[in-house]
Amino acid sequence: MTVRNQDVQRILVLNVGLPSQQGPETRSEMYAIQRTQPHHVVFVCSEASRALVREYVRLANLGPERHEVLTLEDPDDLVLVYEQVSAALHRLQSRWPEASVVVDYTAGTKSMSCATAMAAVDCEDDKVTLRLVRGQRGEGSTVVPGTETHRPVQRIHDLRARRRLASLRAALARYDYVAAGAGIEEIIDSDISSQLAERCRPIRDLCRAFDAWDRWELQTARQLFTAYRSYPAGRQPAFERLAVLAQLTVVAEAARDGADLAAARDPYVAVEDLLLNAERRATQGRYDDAVARVYRALELLAQLRLRIAYGVDTADVDPGKLPEQARGRIDGDPEGEPRKLGLWRAWEVLAAYPHEPLAAWFAESRDRLWDFLAVRNQSILAHGVTAVSRREWEGKGQAALDLCRVALRRLSEAKVRKPLRHMQFPRDELLDGVSDGA
Protein backbone atom coordinates (compact mmCIF):
# COMPACT_ATOMS: atom_id res chain seq x y z
CA MET A 1 0.00 0.00 0.00
CA THR A 2 1.36 3.43 -0.93
CA VAL A 3 1.62 5.93 1.90
CA ARG A 4 0.49 9.39 0.87
CA ASN A 5 2.52 12.37 2.03
CA GLN A 6 -0.40 13.82 3.97
CA ASP A 7 -0.68 10.53 5.91
CA VAL A 8 2.84 10.88 7.32
CA GLN A 9 2.37 13.01 10.42
CA ARG A 10 4.84 11.33 12.78
CA ILE A 11 8.35 10.10 11.91
CA LEU A 12 10.76 8.17 14.13
CA VAL A 13 14.51 8.38 13.58
CA LEU A 14 15.84 5.47 15.62
CA ASN A 15 19.38 4.48 16.56
CA VAL A 16 19.88 0.71 16.51
CA GLY A 17 22.45 -1.04 18.70
CA LEU A 18 24.36 -4.25 18.12
CA PRO A 19 22.63 -7.64 18.36
CA SER A 20 22.71 -9.26 21.78
CA GLN A 21 21.21 -12.19 23.66
CA GLN A 22 18.21 -9.99 24.50
CA GLY A 23 15.29 -10.69 22.20
CA PRO A 24 14.41 -7.87 19.77
CA GLU A 25 10.85 -7.66 21.09
CA THR A 26 12.13 -6.56 24.53
CA ARG A 27 14.83 -4.14 23.42
CA SER A 28 14.61 -0.37 23.78
CA GLU A 29 14.35 0.12 20.00
CA MET A 30 11.15 -1.93 19.82
CA TYR A 31 9.74 -0.15 22.85
CA ALA A 32 10.37 3.22 21.13
CA ILE A 33 8.54 2.04 18.00
CA GLN A 34 5.57 0.82 20.04
CA ARG A 35 5.30 4.01 22.06
CA THR A 36 5.77 6.38 19.11
CA GLN A 37 3.47 4.59 16.65
CA PRO A 38 5.25 6.28 13.72
CA HIS A 39 3.97 6.53 10.17
CA HIS A 40 7.56 6.30 8.93
CA VAL A 41 10.76 5.00 10.56
CA VAL A 42 14.39 5.72 9.70
CA PHE A 43 16.66 3.07 11.24
CA VAL A 44 20.17 4.41 11.92
CA CYS A 45 22.46 1.40 12.20
CA SER A 46 25.81 -0.18 11.41
CA GLU A 47 26.24 -2.98 8.93
CA ALA A 48 26.34 -5.41 11.85
CA SER A 49 22.86 -4.32 12.98
CA ARG A 50 20.99 -4.70 9.70
CA ALA A 51 19.71 -8.16 10.65
CA LEU A 52 18.26 -6.69 13.85
CA VAL A 53 16.56 -3.97 11.81
CA ARG A 54 14.82 -6.65 9.75
CA GLU A 55 13.41 -8.11 12.97
CA TYR A 56 12.01 -4.73 14.01
CA VAL A 57 10.44 -4.27 10.59
CA ARG A 58 8.78 -7.68 10.92
CA LEU A 59 7.60 -7.17 14.50
CA ALA A 60 6.20 -3.69 13.79
CA ASN A 61 4.74 -4.76 10.44
CA LEU A 62 6.48 -1.92 8.62
CA GLY A 63 6.06 -2.17 4.88
CA PRO A 64 8.74 -0.99 2.43
CA GLU A 65 7.02 2.38 2.05
CA ARG A 66 7.00 2.95 5.83
CA HIS A 67 10.65 2.56 6.67
CA GLU A 68 14.18 3.14 5.42
CA VAL A 69 17.60 2.11 6.64
CA LEU A 70 20.48 4.55 7.08
CA THR A 71 23.58 2.36 7.23
CA LEU A 72 26.49 4.23 8.76
CA GLU A 73 29.88 4.05 7.12
CA ASP A 74 31.61 4.10 10.51
CA PRO A 75 29.44 4.10 13.68
CA ASP A 76 32.41 5.30 15.75
CA ASP A 77 33.18 8.35 13.60
CA LEU A 78 31.24 11.12 15.36
CA VAL A 79 31.58 13.69 12.58
CA LEU A 80 30.63 11.25 9.83
CA VAL A 81 27.59 10.01 11.76
CA TYR A 82 26.56 13.61 12.44
CA GLU A 83 26.75 14.46 8.74
CA GLN A 84 24.75 11.38 7.69
CA VAL A 85 22.00 11.90 10.27
CA SER A 86 21.84 15.65 9.54
CA ALA A 87 21.38 14.92 5.83
CA ALA A 88 18.64 12.41 6.64
CA LEU A 89 16.79 14.92 8.84
CA HIS A 90 17.03 17.57 6.14
CA ARG A 91 15.64 15.13 3.59
CA LEU A 92 12.73 14.19 5.88
CA GLN A 93 11.89 17.83 6.55
CA SER A 94 11.89 18.57 2.82
CA ARG A 95 9.67 15.58 2.00
CA TRP A 96 7.26 15.91 4.94
CA PRO A 97 7.57 19.51 6.17
CA GLU A 98 4.47 19.31 8.40
CA ALA A 99 5.38 16.03 10.11
CA SER A 100 6.74 15.82 13.63
CA VAL A 101 10.07 14.00 13.91
CA VAL A 102 10.99 12.05 17.03
CA VAL A 103 14.72 11.30 17.28
CA ASP A 104 15.58 8.43 19.64
CA TYR A 105 19.28 8.23 20.48
CA THR A 106 19.07 5.55 23.19
CA ALA A 107 20.87 2.73 21.40
CA GLY A 108 24.04 2.50 19.32
CA THR A 109 27.63 3.43 19.97
CA LYS A 110 28.51 6.43 22.10
CA SER A 111 29.44 8.29 18.93
CA MET A 112 26.09 7.39 17.38
CA SER A 113 24.15 8.66 20.40
CA CYS A 114 26.15 11.88 20.62
CA ALA A 115 26.08 12.63 16.88
CA THR A 116 22.38 11.83 16.49
CA ALA A 117 21.46 14.12 19.40
CA MET A 118 23.67 16.89 18.01
CA ALA A 119 22.08 16.59 14.57
CA ALA A 120 18.59 16.84 16.08
CA VAL A 121 19.45 19.93 18.09
CA ASP A 122 21.19 21.60 15.16
CA CYS A 123 18.31 21.19 12.73
CA GLU A 124 16.64 24.24 14.38
CA ASP A 125 13.10 22.94 13.83
CA ASP A 126 10.60 22.89 16.69
CA LYS A 127 8.89 19.87 15.12
CA VAL A 128 12.04 17.81 15.72
CA THR A 129 12.23 16.46 19.29
CA LEU A 130 14.58 14.16 21.16
CA ARG A 131 13.47 11.11 23.15
CA LEU A 132 15.24 8.58 25.28
CA VAL A 133 14.16 5.18 26.63
CA ARG A 134 14.77 5.17 30.37
CA GLY A 135 14.20 2.61 33.11
CA GLN A 136 15.80 0.49 35.75
CA ARG A 137 19.23 -0.76 34.74
CA GLY A 138 19.94 -4.46 34.96
CA GLU A 139 22.76 -6.72 33.92
CA GLY A 140 25.09 -5.12 31.40
CA SER A 141 23.51 -1.70 32.17
CA THR A 142 20.58 -2.52 29.89
CA VAL A 143 17.08 -1.30 30.73
CA VAL A 144 15.04 -4.02 32.45
CA PRO A 145 12.01 -4.87 30.28
CA GLY A 146 8.79 -3.64 31.88
CA THR A 147 10.44 -0.64 33.57
CA GLU A 148 10.81 1.48 30.44
CA THR A 149 9.58 4.98 29.81
CA HIS A 150 9.97 6.87 26.54
CA ARG A 151 10.66 10.35 27.80
CA PRO A 152 11.21 13.52 25.80
CA VAL A 153 14.43 15.40 26.43
CA GLN A 154 13.29 18.47 28.35
CA ARG A 155 14.06 22.02 27.19
CA ILE A 156 15.63 21.05 23.87
CA HIS A 157 13.86 24.11 22.44
CA ASP A 158 15.55 26.28 25.07
CA LEU A 159 18.90 24.86 24.04
CA ARG A 160 18.19 25.71 20.41
CA ALA A 161 16.93 29.14 21.41
CA ARG A 162 20.10 29.97 23.30
CA ARG A 163 22.17 28.96 20.30
CA ARG A 164 20.04 31.20 18.11
CA LEU A 165 20.38 34.02 20.62
CA ALA A 166 24.13 33.61 20.51
CA SER A 167 24.02 33.91 16.72
CA LEU A 168 22.22 37.26 17.10
CA ARG A 169 25.27 38.75 18.80
CA ALA A 170 26.71 39.52 15.37
CA ALA A 171 23.64 41.63 14.51
CA LEU A 172 23.84 43.53 17.79
CA ALA A 173 27.58 44.04 17.37
CA ARG A 174 26.76 46.18 14.32
CA TYR A 175 23.77 47.86 16.02
CA ASP A 176 21.27 46.01 13.83
CA TYR A 177 18.39 46.13 16.28
CA VAL A 178 15.84 45.28 13.58
CA ALA A 179 17.44 41.91 12.81
CA ALA A 180 18.10 41.16 16.47
CA GLY A 181 14.58 42.08 17.53
CA ALA A 182 13.03 40.00 14.75
CA GLY A 183 15.21 37.03 15.68
CA ILE A 184 14.24 37.26 19.34
CA GLU A 185 10.57 37.57 18.37
CA GLU A 186 10.83 34.28 16.46
CA ILE A 187 12.42 32.65 19.49
CA ILE A 188 9.65 33.89 21.79
CA ASP A 189 7.05 32.51 19.38
CA SER A 190 8.74 29.09 19.34
CA ASP A 191 8.11 26.25 21.78
CA ILE A 192 10.50 27.48 24.48
CA SER A 193 9.90 27.43 28.21
CA SER A 194 7.89 30.25 29.75
CA GLN A 195 10.92 31.13 31.89
CA LEU A 196 13.16 31.69 28.88
CA ALA A 197 10.40 33.57 27.04
CA GLU A 198 10.09 35.95 30.00
CA ARG A 199 13.84 36.58 29.89
CA CYS A 200 13.79 37.20 26.13
CA ARG A 201 10.81 39.56 26.06
CA PRO A 202 12.52 42.59 27.66
CA ILE A 203 15.52 42.19 25.34
CA ARG A 204 13.20 42.20 22.34
CA ASP A 205 11.51 45.34 23.65
CA LEU A 206 14.85 47.05 24.20
CA CYS A 207 15.86 46.22 20.63
CA ARG A 208 12.64 47.84 19.44
CA ALA A 209 13.26 50.86 21.68
CA PHE A 210 16.80 51.40 20.42
CA ASP A 211 15.70 50.91 16.82
CA ALA A 212 12.99 53.58 17.24
CA TRP A 213 15.50 55.92 18.86
CA ASP A 214 18.00 55.23 16.07
CA ARG A 215 15.39 56.54 13.61
CA TRP A 216 14.49 59.42 15.94
CA GLU A 217 11.01 58.10 16.58
CA LEU A 218 11.43 59.47 20.07
CA GLN A 219 7.89 59.05 21.41
CA THR A 220 7.86 55.39 20.43
CA ALA A 221 11.24 54.87 22.07
CA ARG A 222 10.08 56.57 25.27
CA GLN A 223 6.95 54.41 25.41
CA LEU A 224 8.99 51.24 25.03
CA PHE A 225 11.50 52.27 27.68
CA THR A 226 8.69 53.26 30.04
CA ALA A 227 7.01 49.88 29.51
CA TYR A 228 10.34 48.22 30.23
CA ARG A 229 10.14 49.52 33.81
CA SER A 230 7.52 46.86 34.54
CA TYR A 231 9.95 44.01 33.98
CA PRO A 232 11.29 42.57 37.25
CA ALA A 233 14.91 42.27 36.10
CA GLY A 234 15.56 45.67 34.53
CA ARG A 235 18.83 47.04 33.26
CA GLN A 236 19.47 50.31 35.06
CA PRO A 237 21.38 51.95 32.17
CA ALA A 238 18.23 51.65 30.08
CA PHE A 239 16.29 53.63 32.68
CA GLU A 240 18.94 56.35 32.72
CA ARG A 241 18.35 56.91 29.02
CA LEU A 242 14.82 58.14 29.67
CA ALA A 243 16.15 61.54 30.81
CA VAL A 244 18.06 61.90 27.53
CA LEU A 245 15.02 60.85 25.52
CA ALA A 246 12.89 63.39 27.33
CA GLN A 247 15.38 66.14 26.52
CA LEU A 248 15.57 65.10 22.86
CA THR A 249 11.79 65.28 22.70
CA VAL A 250 11.92 68.84 24.07
CA VAL A 251 14.43 69.84 21.39
CA ALA A 252 12.38 68.23 18.62
CA GLU A 253 9.15 69.87 19.76
CA ALA A 254 10.81 73.27 20.18
CA ALA A 255 12.29 73.08 16.69
CA ARG A 256 8.87 72.24 15.29
CA ASP A 257 6.84 74.73 17.32
CA GLY A 258 9.36 77.55 17.79
CA ALA A 259 9.29 77.15 21.58
CA ASP A 260 11.89 78.58 23.95
CA LEU A 261 14.86 76.31 24.70
CA ALA A 262 16.56 78.49 27.30
CA ALA A 263 14.96 76.65 30.23
CA ALA A 264 15.81 73.18 28.93
CA ARG A 265 18.21 71.15 31.05
CA ASP A 266 20.59 70.21 28.21
CA PRO A 267 19.35 70.84 24.67
CA TYR A 268 22.89 70.28 23.39
CA VAL A 269 22.49 66.57 24.15
CA ALA A 270 20.75 66.39 20.75
CA VAL A 271 24.13 67.15 19.14
CA GLU A 272 25.76 64.39 21.18
CA ASP A 273 23.00 62.02 20.10
CA LEU A 274 23.71 62.71 16.43
CA LEU A 275 27.41 62.01 16.96
CA LEU A 276 26.65 58.68 18.61
CA ASN A 277 24.31 57.89 15.72
CA ALA A 278 27.10 58.70 13.27
CA GLU A 279 29.41 56.28 15.07
CA ARG A 280 26.82 53.52 14.74
CA ARG A 281 26.48 54.15 11.01
CA ALA A 282 30.26 54.02 10.63
CA THR A 283 30.35 50.69 12.49
CA GLN A 284 27.93 49.38 9.87
CA GLY A 285 30.16 50.66 7.06
CA ARG A 286 27.54 53.26 6.06
CA TYR A 287 30.02 56.09 5.80
CA ASP A 288 27.82 58.44 3.74
CA ASP A 289 25.18 58.22 6.47
CA ALA A 290 27.82 58.79 9.14
CA VAL A 291 29.13 61.89 7.38
CA ALA A 292 25.60 63.24 6.93
CA ARG A 293 24.96 62.92 10.66
CA VAL A 294 28.21 64.63 11.61
CA TYR A 295 27.31 67.46 9.24
CA ARG A 296 23.89 67.74 10.85
CA ALA A 297 25.45 67.69 14.34
CA LEU A 298 27.74 70.61 13.46
CA GLU A 299 24.85 72.49 11.92
CA LEU A 300 22.54 71.79 14.87
CA LEU A 301 25.17 72.93 17.36
CA ALA A 302 25.42 76.32 15.65
CA GLN A 303 21.62 76.57 15.39
CA LEU A 304 21.07 75.74 19.06
CA ARG A 305 23.80 78.09 20.22
CA LEU A 306 22.47 81.01 18.16
CA ARG A 307 18.92 80.37 19.29
CA ILE A 308 19.58 79.81 23.00
CA ALA A 309 22.23 82.48 23.53
CA TYR A 310 21.18 85.17 21.07
CA GLY A 311 17.57 84.47 20.04
CA VAL A 312 18.55 83.94 16.38
CA ASP A 313 16.53 81.50 14.28
CA THR A 314 18.72 80.39 11.36
CA ALA A 315 15.60 79.58 9.30
CA ASP A 316 14.24 83.12 9.65
CA VAL A 317 16.97 85.54 10.68
CA ASP A 318 16.26 88.91 12.23
CA PRO A 319 19.27 91.03 11.13
CA GLY A 320 18.79 93.29 14.12
CA LYS A 321 19.89 90.47 16.44
CA LEU A 322 23.20 89.93 14.68
CA PRO A 323 26.53 91.66 15.32
CA GLU A 324 26.87 94.47 12.81
CA GLN A 325 29.91 92.95 11.10
CA ALA A 326 27.97 89.70 10.52
CA ARG A 327 24.79 91.07 8.93
CA GLY A 328 26.13 90.82 5.42
CA ARG A 329 26.44 87.04 5.73
CA ILE A 330 22.68 86.37 5.67
CA ASP A 331 21.32 84.41 2.70
CA GLY A 332 17.95 85.18 1.07
CA ASP A 333 15.87 88.05 -0.21
CA PRO A 334 15.22 90.69 2.43
CA GLU A 335 12.00 91.69 0.61
CA GLY A 336 10.68 88.18 0.06
CA GLU A 337 11.46 84.80 1.56
CA PRO A 338 12.80 84.44 5.12
CA ARG A 339 16.50 85.11 5.39
CA LYS A 340 18.48 81.99 6.36
CA LEU A 341 21.89 80.88 7.53
CA GLY A 342 23.53 77.73 6.25
CA LEU A 343 26.05 75.77 8.29
CA TRP A 344 29.17 77.75 7.45
CA ARG A 345 27.50 81.16 7.59
CA ALA A 346 25.86 80.22 10.90
CA TRP A 347 29.26 79.49 12.41
CA GLU A 348 30.73 82.71 11.05
CA VAL A 349 27.85 84.68 12.56
CA LEU A 350 28.14 82.85 15.89
CA ALA A 351 31.88 83.50 16.07
CA ALA A 352 31.24 87.23 15.56
CA TYR A 353 29.48 87.64 18.92
CA PRO A 354 31.72 89.10 21.64
CA HIS A 355 32.67 86.59 24.32
CA GLU A 356 31.12 83.64 22.49
CA PRO A 357 32.78 80.53 24.02
CA LEU A 358 32.89 78.73 20.67
CA ALA A 359 34.47 81.58 18.70
CA ALA A 360 38.02 80.46 19.45
CA TRP A 361 37.10 76.85 18.70
CA PHE A 362 35.79 77.83 15.27
CA ALA A 363 38.88 79.83 14.49
CA GLU A 364 41.09 76.88 15.44
CA SER A 365 38.98 74.35 13.51
CA ARG A 366 38.14 76.19 10.28
CA ASP A 367 40.60 74.36 8.03
CA ARG A 368 39.71 70.89 9.27
CA LEU A 369 36.00 71.66 9.09
CA TRP A 370 36.44 72.90 5.53
CA ASP A 371 38.18 69.64 4.60
CA PHE A 372 35.29 67.72 6.09
CA LEU A 373 32.73 69.78 4.16
CA ALA A 374 34.53 68.97 0.92
CA VAL A 375 34.10 65.24 1.62
CA ARG A 376 30.50 65.71 2.63
CA ASN A 377 29.59 67.80 -0.43
CA GLN A 378 30.95 65.13 -2.80
CA SER A 379 28.81 62.45 -1.11
CA ILE A 380 25.84 60.95 -2.93
CA LEU A 381 23.75 61.99 0.09
CA ALA A 382 24.73 65.64 -0.34
CA HIS A 383 25.63 67.31 -3.67
CA GLY A 384 27.89 64.72 -5.31
CA VAL A 385 27.65 61.34 -6.99
CA THR A 386 30.32 59.37 -5.10
CA ALA A 387 30.32 57.25 -1.96
CA VAL A 388 32.31 58.23 1.09
CA SER A 389 35.08 55.67 1.54
CA ARG A 390 36.23 54.17 4.79
CA ARG A 391 39.52 56.02 4.39
CA GLU A 392 37.72 59.36 3.95
CA TRP A 393 35.60 58.65 7.00
CA GLU A 394 38.60 57.74 9.16
CA GLY A 395 40.60 60.70 7.87
CA LYS A 396 38.04 63.51 7.66
CA GLY A 397 34.72 62.31 9.05
CA GLN A 398 36.05 61.05 12.37
CA ALA A 399 38.14 64.20 12.74
CA ALA A 400 35.05 66.39 12.35
CA LEU A 401 33.16 64.24 14.83
CA ASP A 402 35.96 64.63 17.35
CA LEU A 403 36.03 68.41 16.74
CA CYS A 404 32.32 68.62 17.46
CA ARG A 405 32.84 66.83 20.76
CA VAL A 406 35.57 69.32 21.64
CA ALA A 407 33.08 72.12 21.00
CA LEU A 408 30.58 70.50 23.35
CA ARG A 409 33.24 70.27 26.05
CA ARG A 410 34.04 73.97 25.57
CA LEU A 411 30.42 74.81 26.33
CA SER A 412 30.59 72.74 29.51
CA GLU A 413 33.85 74.38 30.55
CA ALA A 414 32.28 77.81 29.94
CA LYS A 415 29.37 76.84 32.23
CA VAL A 416 26.80 77.40 29.49
CA ARG A 417 25.99 73.73 29.30
CA LYS A 418 25.01 71.32 32.08
CA PRO A 419 25.51 68.05 30.25
CA LEU A 420 23.25 65.07 30.71
CA ARG A 421 25.01 61.73 30.81
CA HIS A 422 24.71 60.19 27.37
CA MET A 423 26.34 57.00 26.14
CA GLN A 424 26.55 54.82 23.09
CA PHE A 425 23.79 52.27 22.58
CA PRO A 426 24.46 48.76 23.91
CA ARG A 427 25.44 45.96 21.59
CA ASP A 428 25.67 42.24 22.24
CA GLU A 429 25.91 42.79 26.00
CA LEU A 430 22.10 42.93 25.87
CA LEU A 431 22.23 39.14 25.57
CA ASP A 432 24.56 38.54 28.49
CA GLY A 433 23.07 36.03 30.89
CA VAL A 434 20.52 34.75 28.38
CA SER A 435 22.35 33.31 25.38
CA ASP A 436 24.94 31.71 27.67
CA GLY A 437 22.30 30.05 29.81
CA ALA A 438 23.15 31.92 33.01
Side-chain angles (χ1 to χ4, degrees), residues 377-392:
N377 290 338
Q378 293 167 9
S379 166
I380 188 65
L381 296 186
H383 310 304
V385 291
T386 60
V388 175
S389 68
R390 177 177 179 177
R391 184 174 182 177
E392 287 173 318

Side-chain angles (χ1 to χ4, degrees), residues 2 14 33 154 173 183 199 223 234 236 251-252 262 275 315 320-321 341 358 364 387 397 414 422:
T2 302
L14 181 66
I33 295 172
Q154 297 294 324
R199 297 179 71 182
Q223 290 169 4
Q236 191 60 33
V251 174
L275 298 178
K321 295 181 178 181
L341 289 173
L358 293 182
E364 298 161 5
H422 201 359

Side-chain angles (χ1 to χ4, degrees), residues 215-291:
R215 292 179 281 107
W216 254 60
E217 293 184 3
L218 304 177
Q219 290 291 358
T220 300
R222 289 181 71 183
Q223 290 169 4
L224 287 166
F225 275 119
T226 302
Y228 181 77
R229 286 180 180 273
S230 65
Y231 291 111
R235 289 170 176 78
Q236 191 60 33
F239 298 154
E240 293 174 359
R241 297 178 191 273
L242 280 169
V244 175
L245 270 173
Q247 195 71 165
L248 294 177
T249 304
V250 169
V251 174
E253 290 175 351
R256 183 182 65 244
D257 303 333
D260 184 16
L261 280 169
R265 159 73 191 276
D266 181 21
Y268 299 106
V269 77
V271 178
E272 187 105 34
D273 192 69
L274 280 166
L275 298 178
L276 293 170
N277 196 314
E279 289 177 332
R280 295 193 293 274
R281 302 291 78 76
T283 298
Q284 296 170 344
R286 295 164 54 185
Y287 303 117
D288 289 275
D289 286 347
V291 162

Side-chain angles (χ1 to χ4, degrees), residues 1 147 230 256 350 376 388:
M1 181 179 71
T147 69
S230 65
R256 183 182 65 244
L350 181 63
R376 178 262 177 183
V388 175

Side-chain angles (χ1 to χ4, degrees), residues 159-181:
L159 177 59
R160 287 175 177 148
R162 286 196 170 93
R163 294 180 64 163
R164 291 165 66 186
L165 282 167
S167 71
L168 295 176
R169 286 185 176 275
L172 286 172
R174 61 178 184 273
Y175 301 107
D176 190 347
Y177 299 106
V178 175

Side-chain angles (χ1 to χ4, degrees), residues 44 56 79 101 104 120 145 164 175 210 221 277 308 337 362 388 390 396 423-424:
V44 182
Y56 294 141
V79 174
V101 181
D104 187 303
R164 291 165 66 186
Y175 301 107
F210 285 118
N277 196 314
I308 294 168
E337 296 296 323
F362 181 63
V388 175
R390 177 177 179 177
K396 301 296 195 307
M423 61 193 113
Q424 186 54 274

